[in-house]
PDB file of all heavy atoms in Angstrom:
ATOM      1  N   ALA A 560     137.644 108.968 149.202  1.00 89.00           N
ATOM      2  CA  ALA A 560     138.193 110.111 148.478  1.00 89.00           C
ATOM      3  C   ALA A 560     139.708 110.046 148.607  1.00 89.00           C
ATOM      4  O   ALA A 560     140.233 109.961 149.721  1.00 89.00           O
ATOM      5  CB  ALA A 560     137.677 111.422 149.051  1.00 89.00           C
ATOM      6  N   SER A 561     140.397 110.073 147.474  1.00 87.00           N
ATOM      7  CA  SER A 561     141.851 109.941 147.507  1.00 87.00           C
ATOM      8  C   SER A 561     142.499 110.957 146.583  1.00 87.00           C
ATOM      9  O   SER A 561     141.897 111.415 145.607  1.00 87.00           O
ATOM     10  CB  SER A 561     142.268 108.523 147.073  1.00 87.00           C
ATOM     11  OG  SER A 561     141.794 108.248 145.764  1.00 87.00           O
ATOM     12  N   GLY A 562     143.740 111.297 146.915  1.00 79.00           N
ATOM     13  CA  GLY A 562     144.569 112.141 146.070  1.00 79.00           C
ATOM     14  C   GLY A 562     145.884 111.417 145.877  1.00 79.00           C
ATOM     15  O   GLY A 562     146.780 111.543 146.703  1.00 79.00           O
ATOM     16  N   GLY A 563     145.960 110.602 144.848  1.00 75.00           N
ATOM     17  CA  GLY A 563     147.116 109.732 144.702  1.00 75.00           C
ATOM     18  C   GLY A 563     147.089 108.651 145.781  1.00 75.00           C
ATOM     19  O   GLY A 563     146.086 107.982 145.985  1.00 75.00           O
ATOM     20  N   SER A 564     148.187 108.520 146.502  1.00 80.00           N
ATOM     21  CA  SER A 564     148.261 107.505 147.557  1.00 80.00           C
ATOM     22  C   SER A 564     147.678 107.990 148.883  1.00 80.00           C
ATOM     23  O   SER A 564     147.601 107.217 149.841  1.00 80.00           O
ATOM     24  CB  SER A 564     149.725 107.090 147.775  1.00 80.00           C
ATOM     25  OG  SER A 564     150.508 108.219 148.142  1.00 80.00           O
ATOM     26  N   TYR A 565     147.280 109.254 148.939  1.00 83.00           N
ATOM     27  CA  TYR A 565     146.725 109.809 150.174  1.00 83.00           C
ATOM     28  C   TYR A 565     145.219 109.595 150.204  1.00 83.00           C
ATOM     29  O   TYR A 565     144.499 109.999 149.282  1.00 83.00           O
ATOM     30  CB  TYR A 565     147.042 111.309 150.268  1.00 83.00           C
ATOM     31  CG  TYR A 565     146.358 112.001 151.433  1.00 83.00           C
ATOM     32  CD1 TYR A 565     146.734 111.723 152.736  1.00 83.00           C
ATOM     33  CD2 TYR A 565     145.331 112.916 151.214  1.00 83.00           C
ATOM     34  CE1 TYR A 565     146.114 112.349 153.801  1.00 83.00           C
ATOM     35  CE2 TYR A 565     144.706 113.550 152.274  1.00 83.00           C
ATOM     36  CZ  TYR A 565     145.105 113.260 153.566  1.00 83.00           C
ATOM     37  OH  TYR A 565     144.487 113.862 154.620  1.00 83.00           O
ATOM     38  N   ILE A 566     144.733 108.970 151.274  1.00 87.00           N
ATOM     39  CA  ILE A 566     143.292 108.758 151.452  1.00 87.00           C
ATOM     40  C   ILE A 566     142.758 109.912 152.295  1.00 87.00           C
ATOM     41  O   ILE A 566     143.052 110.021 153.482  1.00 87.00           O
ATOM     42  CB  ILE A 566     143.004 107.403 152.126  1.00 87.00           C
ATOM     43  CG1 ILE A 566     143.518 106.267 151.238  1.00 87.00           C
ATOM     44  CG2 ILE A 566     141.504 107.242 152.384  1.00 87.00           C
ATOM     45  CD1 ILE A 566     143.418 104.892 151.883  1.00 87.00           C
ATOM     46  N   ALA A 567     141.949 110.762 151.669  1.00 87.00           N
ATOM     47  CA  ALA A 567     141.447 111.948 152.354  1.00 87.00           C
ATOM     48  C   ALA A 567     140.242 111.630 153.228  1.00 87.00           C
ATOM     49  O   ALA A 567     140.053 112.238 154.278  1.00 87.00           O
ATOM     50  CB  ALA A 567     141.078 113.022 151.334  1.00 87.00           C
ATOM     51  N   SER A 568     139.418 110.709 152.786  1.00 90.00           N
ATOM     52  CA  SER A 568     138.205 110.380 153.533  1.00 90.00           C
ATOM     53  C   SER A 568     137.715 109.001 153.133  1.00 90.00           C
ATOM     54  O   SER A 568     137.933 108.554 152.002  1.00 90.00           O
ATOM     55  CB  SER A 568     137.114 111.420 153.270  1.00 90.00           C
ATOM     56  OG  SER A 568     135.896 111.036 153.893  1.00 90.00           O
ATOM     57  N   GLN A 569     137.042 108.348 154.066  1.00 93.00           N
ATOM     58  CA  GLN A 569     136.413 107.052 153.794  1.00 93.00           C
ATOM     59  C   GLN A 569     134.889 107.152 153.848  1.00 93.00           C
ATOM     60  O   GLN A 569     134.215 106.131 153.753  1.00 93.00           O
ATOM     61  CB  GLN A 569     136.872 106.020 154.844  1.00 93.00           C
ATOM     62  CG  GLN A 569     138.329 105.630 154.743  1.00 93.00           C
ATOM     63  CD  GLN A 569     138.579 104.554 153.712  1.00 93.00           C
ATOM     64  OE1 GLN A 569     138.375 104.747 152.525  1.00 93.00           O
ATOM     65  NE2 GLN A 569     138.994 103.385 154.181  1.00 93.00           N
ATOM     66  N   THR A 570     134.375 108.354 153.984  1.00 93.00           N
ATOM     67  CA  THR A 570     132.921 108.506 154.177  1.00 93.00           C
ATOM     68  C   THR A 570     132.324 109.555 153.244  1.00 93.00           C
ATOM     69  O   THR A 570     131.421 110.292 153.628  1.00 93.00           O
ATOM     70  CB  THR A 570     132.614 108.885 155.638  1.00 93.00           C
ATOM     71  OG1 THR A 570     133.325 110.086 155.965  1.00 93.00           O
ATOM     72  CG2 THR A 570     133.021 107.781 156.589  1.00 93.00           C
ATOM     73  N   VAL A 571     132.818 109.630 152.018  1.00 93.00           N
ATOM     74  CA  VAL A 571     132.309 110.616 151.070  1.00 93.00           C
ATOM     75  C   VAL A 571     130.961 110.150 150.508  1.00 93.00           C
ATOM     76  O   VAL A 571     130.771 108.979 150.183  1.00 93.00           O
ATOM     77  CB  VAL A 571     133.304 110.835 149.921  1.00 93.00           C
ATOM     78  CG1 VAL A 571     132.714 111.753 148.866  1.00 93.00           C
ATOM     79  CG2 VAL A 571     134.594 111.408 150.458  1.00 93.00           C
ATOM     80  N   LYS A 572     130.057 111.080 150.400  1.00 94.00           N
ATOM     81  CA  LYS A 572     128.728 110.802 149.828  1.00 94.00           C
ATOM     82  C   LYS A 572     128.811 111.026 148.322  1.00 94.00           C
ATOM     83  O   LYS A 572     128.803 112.153 147.849  1.00 94.00           O
ATOM     84  CB  LYS A 572     127.702 111.738 150.467  1.00 94.00           C
ATOM     85  CG  LYS A 572     126.279 111.504 150.050  1.00 94.00           C
ATOM     86  CD  LYS A 572     125.366 112.490 150.765  1.00 94.00           C
ATOM     87  CE  LYS A 572     123.928 112.327 150.336  1.00 94.00           C
ATOM     88  NZ  LYS A 572     123.058 113.323 151.007  1.00 94.00           N
ATOM     89  N   LYS A 573     128.862 109.943 147.552  1.00 95.00           N
ATOM     90  CA  LYS A 573     129.073 110.037 146.112  1.00 95.00           C
ATOM     91  C   LYS A 573     127.786 109.937 145.301  1.00 95.00           C
ATOM     92  O   LYS A 573     127.839 109.901 144.070  1.00 95.00           O
ATOM     93  CB  LYS A 573     130.064 108.963 145.653  1.00 95.00           C
ATOM     94  CG  LYS A 573     131.451 109.144 146.238  1.00 95.00           C
ATOM     95  CD  LYS A 573     132.441 108.158 145.680  1.00 95.00           C
ATOM     96  CE  LYS A 573     133.820 108.362 146.320  1.00 95.00           C
ATOM     97  NZ  LYS A 573     134.816 107.422 145.790  1.00 95.00           N
ATOM     98  N   VAL A 574     126.660 109.875 145.969  1.00 96.00           N
ATOM     99  CA  VAL A 574     125.369 109.965 145.288  1.00 96.00           C
ATOM    100  C   VAL A 574     124.712 111.268 145.739  1.00 96.00           C
ATOM    101  O   VAL A 574     124.518 111.486 146.932  1.00 96.00           O
ATOM    102  CB  VAL A 574     124.460 108.768 145.608  1.00 96.00           C
ATOM    103  CG1 VAL A 574     123.085 108.963 144.982  1.00 96.00           C
ATOM    104  CG2 VAL A 574     125.081 107.469 145.095  1.00 96.00           C
ATOM    105  N   ILE A 575     124.389 112.124 144.779  1.00 95.00           N
ATOM    106  CA  ILE A 575     123.775 113.419 145.080  1.00 95.00           C
ATOM    107  C   ILE A 575     122.302 113.361 144.706  1.00 95.00           C
ATOM    108  O   ILE A 575     121.952 113.028 143.567  1.00 95.00           O
ATOM    109  CB  ILE A 575     124.489 114.551 144.317  1.00 95.00           C
ATOM    110  CG1 ILE A 575     125.937 114.666 144.821  1.00 95.00           C
ATOM    111  CG2 ILE A 575     123.757 115.881 144.487  1.00 95.00           C
ATOM    112  CD1 ILE A 575     126.770 115.678 144.087  1.00 95.00           C
ATOM    113  N   GLU A 576     121.443 113.677 145.678  1.00 95.00           N
ATOM    114  CA  GLU A 576     120.005 113.639 145.448  1.00 95.00           C
ATOM    115  C   GLU A 576     119.574 114.943 144.787  1.00 95.00           C
ATOM    116  O   GLU A 576     119.486 115.983 145.446  1.00 95.00           O
ATOM    117  CB  GLU A 576     119.241 113.443 146.773  1.00 95.00           C
ATOM    118  CG  GLU A 576     119.596 112.154 147.504  1.00 95.00           C
ATOM    119  CD  GLU A 576     120.721 112.317 148.504  1.00 95.00           C
ATOM    120  OE1 GLU A 576     121.398 113.380 148.455  1.00 95.00           O
ATOM    121  OE2 GLU A 576     120.931 111.402 149.310  1.00 95.00           O
ATOM    122  N   ILE A 577     119.306 114.894 143.504  1.00 95.00           N
ATOM    123  CA  ILE A 577     118.925 116.091 142.754  1.00 95.00           C
ATOM    124  C   ILE A 577     117.491 116.494 143.091  1.00 95.00           C
ATOM    125  O   ILE A 577     117.192 117.666 143.304  1.00 95.00           O
ATOM    126  CB  ILE A 577     119.093 115.842 141.245  1.00 95.00           C
ATOM    127  CG1 ILE A 577     120.566 115.559 140.939  1.00 95.00           C
ATOM    128  CG2 ILE A 577     118.590 117.043 140.428  1.00 95.00           C
ATOM    129  CD1 ILE A 577     120.821 115.059 139.540  1.00 95.00           C
ATOM    130  N   ASN A 578     116.596 115.539 143.110  1.00 94.00           N
ATOM    131  CA  ASN A 578     115.229 115.727 143.600  1.00 94.00           C
ATOM    132  C   ASN A 578     114.713 114.339 144.009  1.00 94.00           C
ATOM    133  O   ASN A 578     115.459 113.358 143.890  1.00 94.00           O
ATOM    134  CB  ASN A 578     114.329 116.441 142.569  1.00 94.00           C
ATOM    135  CG  ASN A 578     114.057 115.621 141.325  1.00 94.00           C
ATOM    136  OD1 ASN A 578     114.001 114.391 141.355  1.00 94.00           O
ATOM    137  ND2 ASN A 578     113.868 116.300 140.204  1.00 94.00           N
ATOM    138  N   PRO A 579     113.489 114.202 144.501  1.00 95.00           N
ATOM    139  CA  PRO A 579     113.028 112.883 144.970  1.00 95.00           C
ATOM    140  C   PRO A 579     112.966 111.798 143.900  1.00 95.00           C
ATOM    141  O   PRO A 579     112.794 110.619 144.231  1.00 95.00           O
ATOM    142  CB  PRO A 579     111.623 113.183 145.517  1.00 95.00           C
ATOM    143  CG  PRO A 579     111.675 114.611 145.924  1.00 95.00           C
ATOM    144  CD  PRO A 579     112.542 115.269 144.897  1.00 95.00           C
ATOM    145  N   TYR A 580     113.126 112.171 142.622  1.00 96.00           N
ATOM    146  CA  TYR A 580     113.062 111.188 141.540  1.00 96.00           C
ATOM    147  C   TYR A 580     114.343 111.136 140.712  1.00 96.00           C
ATOM    148  O   TYR A 580     114.427 110.348 139.772  1.00 96.00           O
ATOM    149  CB  TYR A 580     111.884 111.506 140.613  1.00 96.00           C
ATOM    150  CG  TYR A 580     110.540 111.338 141.268  1.00 96.00           C
ATOM    151  CD1 TYR A 580     109.988 112.365 142.028  1.00 96.00           C
ATOM    152  CD2 TYR A 580     109.826 110.155 141.148  1.00 96.00           C
ATOM    153  CE1 TYR A 580     108.752 112.228 142.647  1.00 96.00           C
ATOM    154  CE2 TYR A 580     108.587 109.997 141.763  1.00 96.00           C
ATOM    155  CZ  TYR A 580     108.059 111.030 142.505  1.00 96.00           C
ATOM    156  OH  TYR A 580     106.834 110.873 143.127  1.00 96.00           O
ATOM    157  N   LEU A 581     115.324 111.945 141.039  1.00 97.00           N
ATOM    158  CA  LEU A 581     116.554 112.032 140.264  1.00 97.00           C
ATOM    159  C   LEU A 581     117.780 111.887 141.162  1.00 97.00           C
ATOM    160  O   LEU A 581     117.839 112.489 142.237  1.00 97.00           O
ATOM    161  CB  LEU A 581     116.647 113.382 139.546  1.00 97.00           C
ATOM    162  CG  LEU A 581     116.003 113.543 138.171  1.00 97.00           C
ATOM    163  CD1 LEU A 581     116.132 114.990 137.725  1.00 97.00           C
ATOM    164  CD2 LEU A 581     116.632 112.621 137.159  1.00 97.00           C
ATOM    165  N   LEU A 582     118.747 111.100 140.690  1.00 97.00           N
ATOM    166  CA  LEU A 582     120.011 110.931 141.403  1.00 97.00           C
ATOM    167  C   LEU A 582     121.172 111.210 140.456  1.00 97.00           C
ATOM    168  O   LEU A 582     121.079 110.970 139.248  1.00 97.00           O
ATOM    169  CB  LEU A 582     120.153 109.502 141.941  1.00 97.00           C
ATOM    170  CG  LEU A 582     119.216 109.053 143.058  1.00 97.00           C
ATOM    171  CD1 LEU A 582     119.429 107.572 143.356  1.00 97.00           C
ATOM    172  CD2 LEU A 582     119.425 109.874 144.312  1.00 97.00           C
ATOM    173  N   GLY A 583     122.265 111.701 141.022  1.00 97.00           N
ATOM    174  CA  GLY A 583     123.499 111.884 140.272  1.00 97.00           C
ATOM    175  C   GLY A 583     124.648 111.242 141.031  1.00 97.00           C
ATOM    176  O   GLY A 583     124.652 111.228 142.261  1.00 97.00           O
ATOM    177  N   THR A 584     125.617 110.695 140.310  1.00 97.00           N
ATOM    178  CA  THR A 584     126.779 110.081 140.954  1.00 97.00           C
ATOM    179  C   THR A 584     128.019 110.936 140.711  1.00 97.00           C
ATOM    180  O   THR A 584     128.049 111.770 139.799  1.00 97.00           O
ATOM    181  CB  THR A 584     127.037 108.663 140.413  1.00 97.00           C
ATOM    182  OG1 THR A 584     127.350 108.738 139.008  1.00 97.00           O
ATOM    183  CG2 THR A 584     125.806 107.784 140.615  1.00 97.00           C
ATOM    184  N   MET A 585     129.036 110.714 141.530  1.00 94.00           N
ATOM    185  CA  MET A 585     130.283 111.477 141.463  1.00 94.00           C
ATOM    186  C   MET A 585     131.452 110.578 141.117  1.00 94.00           C
ATOM    187  O   MET A 585     131.648 109.549 141.740  1.00 94.00           O
ATOM    188  CB  MET A 585     130.587 112.126 142.819  1.00 94.00           C
ATOM    189  CG  MET A 585     129.661 113.250 143.206  1.00 94.00           C
ATOM    190  SD  MET A 585     129.956 113.773 144.926  1.00 94.00           S
ATOM    191  CE  MET A 585     131.744 113.815 145.002  1.00 94.00           C
ATOM    192  N   ALA A 586     132.212 110.980 140.101  1.00 93.00           N
ATOM    193  CA  ALA A 586     133.498 110.347 139.807  1.00 93.00           C
ATOM    194  C   ALA A 586     134.366 111.412 139.151  1.00 93.00           C
ATOM    195  O   ALA A 586     133.900 112.153 138.288  1.00 93.00           O
ATOM    196  CB  ALA A 586     133.332 109.146 138.877  1.00 93.00           C
ATOM    197  N   GLY A 587     135.611 111.506 139.568  1.00 90.00           N
ATOM    198  CA  GLY A 587     136.497 112.554 139.084  1.00 90.00           C
ATOM    199  C   GLY A 587     136.814 113.516 140.214  1.00 90.00           C
ATOM    200  O   GLY A 587     137.128 113.100 141.327  1.00 90.00           O
ATOM    201  N   GLY A 588     136.715 114.793 139.952  1.00 88.00           N
ATOM    202  CA  GLY A 588     136.953 115.800 140.989  1.00 88.00           C
ATOM    203  C   GLY A 588     135.711 115.987 141.837  1.00 88.00           C
ATOM    204  O   GLY A 588     134.628 116.282 141.323  1.00 88.00           O
ATOM    205  N   ALA A 589     135.854 115.821 143.137  1.00 89.00           N
ATOM    206  CA  ALA A 589     134.694 115.899 144.032  1.00 89.00           C
ATOM    207  C   ALA A 589     134.042 117.283 143.972  1.00 89.00           C
ATOM    208  O   ALA A 589     132.814 117.400 143.909  1.00 89.00           O
ATOM    209  CB  ALA A 589     135.113 115.574 145.462  1.00 89.00           C
ATOM    210  N   ALA A 590     134.848 118.335 143.976  1.00 89.00           N
ATOM    211  CA  ALA A 590     134.301 119.693 143.965  1.00 89.00           C
ATOM    212  C   ALA A 590     133.517 119.958 142.685  1.00 89.00           C
ATOM    213  O   ALA A 590     132.427 120.538 142.721  1.00 89.00           O
ATOM    214  CB  ALA A 590     135.423 120.716 144.117  1.00 89.00           C
ATOM    215  N   ASP A 591     134.066 119.533 141.542  1.00 91.00           N
ATOM    216  CA  ASP A 591     133.381 119.749 140.268  1.00 91.00           C
ATOM    217  C   ASP A 591     132.032 119.037 140.245  1.00 91.00           C
ATOM    218  O   ASP A 591     131.009 119.623 139.858  1.00 91.00           O
ATOM    219  CB  ASP A 591     134.243 119.248 139.106  1.00 91.00           C
ATOM    220  CG  ASP A 591     135.515 120.064 138.923  1.00 91.00           C
ATOM    221  OD1 ASP A 591     135.548 121.209 139.408  1.00 91.00           O
ATOM    222  OD2 ASP A 591     136.461 119.558 138.301  1.00 91.00           O
ATOM    223  N   CYS A 592     132.032 117.770 140.633  1.00 93.00           N
ATOM    224  CA  CYS A 592     130.789 116.994 140.604  1.00 93.00           C
ATOM    225  C   CYS A 592     129.754 117.569 141.559  1.00 93.00           C
ATOM    226  O   CYS A 592     128.582 117.726 141.200  1.00 93.00           O
ATOM    227  CB  CYS A 592     131.066 115.537 140.968  1.00 93.00           C
ATOM    228  SG  CYS A 592     132.049 114.637 139.755  1.00 93.00           S
ATOM    229  N   GLN A 593     130.172 117.894 142.761  1.00 93.00           N
ATOM    230  CA  GLN A 593     129.223 118.418 143.748  1.00 93.00           C
ATOM    231  C   GLN A 593     128.644 119.749 143.298  1.00 93.00           C
ATOM    232  O   GLN A 593     127.428 119.964 143.368  1.00 93.00           O
ATOM    233  CB  GLN A 593     129.917 118.574 145.107  1.00 93.00           C
ATOM    234  CG  GLN A 593     130.177 117.256 145.808  1.00 93.00           C
ATOM    235  CD  GLN A 593     130.862 117.454 147.153  1.00 93.00           C
ATOM    236  OE1 GLN A 593     131.351 118.535 147.469  1.00 93.00           O
ATOM    237  NE2 GLN A 593     130.906 116.408 147.946  1.00 93.00           N
TER     238      GLN A 593
END
């Protein structure tokens, strides 16, 4: 997770488990996607 040249985290979970058969991915604003 980065904000320009600042690295906020190296351990962000970018796959969101919607249900046991559905997955969603994150790109863009982390808060919006989550």
Side-chain angles (χ1 to χ4, degrees):
S561 59
S564 59
Y565 173 69
I566 298 174
S568 174
Q569 291 277 64
T570 57
V571 174
K572 184 180 178 182
K573 296 185 181 180
V574 175
I575 295 176
E576 300 92 347
I577 298 170
N578 67 31
Y580 294 84
L581 273 175
L582 292 175
T584 63
M585 290 171 44
D591 293 340
C592 293
Q593 287 180 347

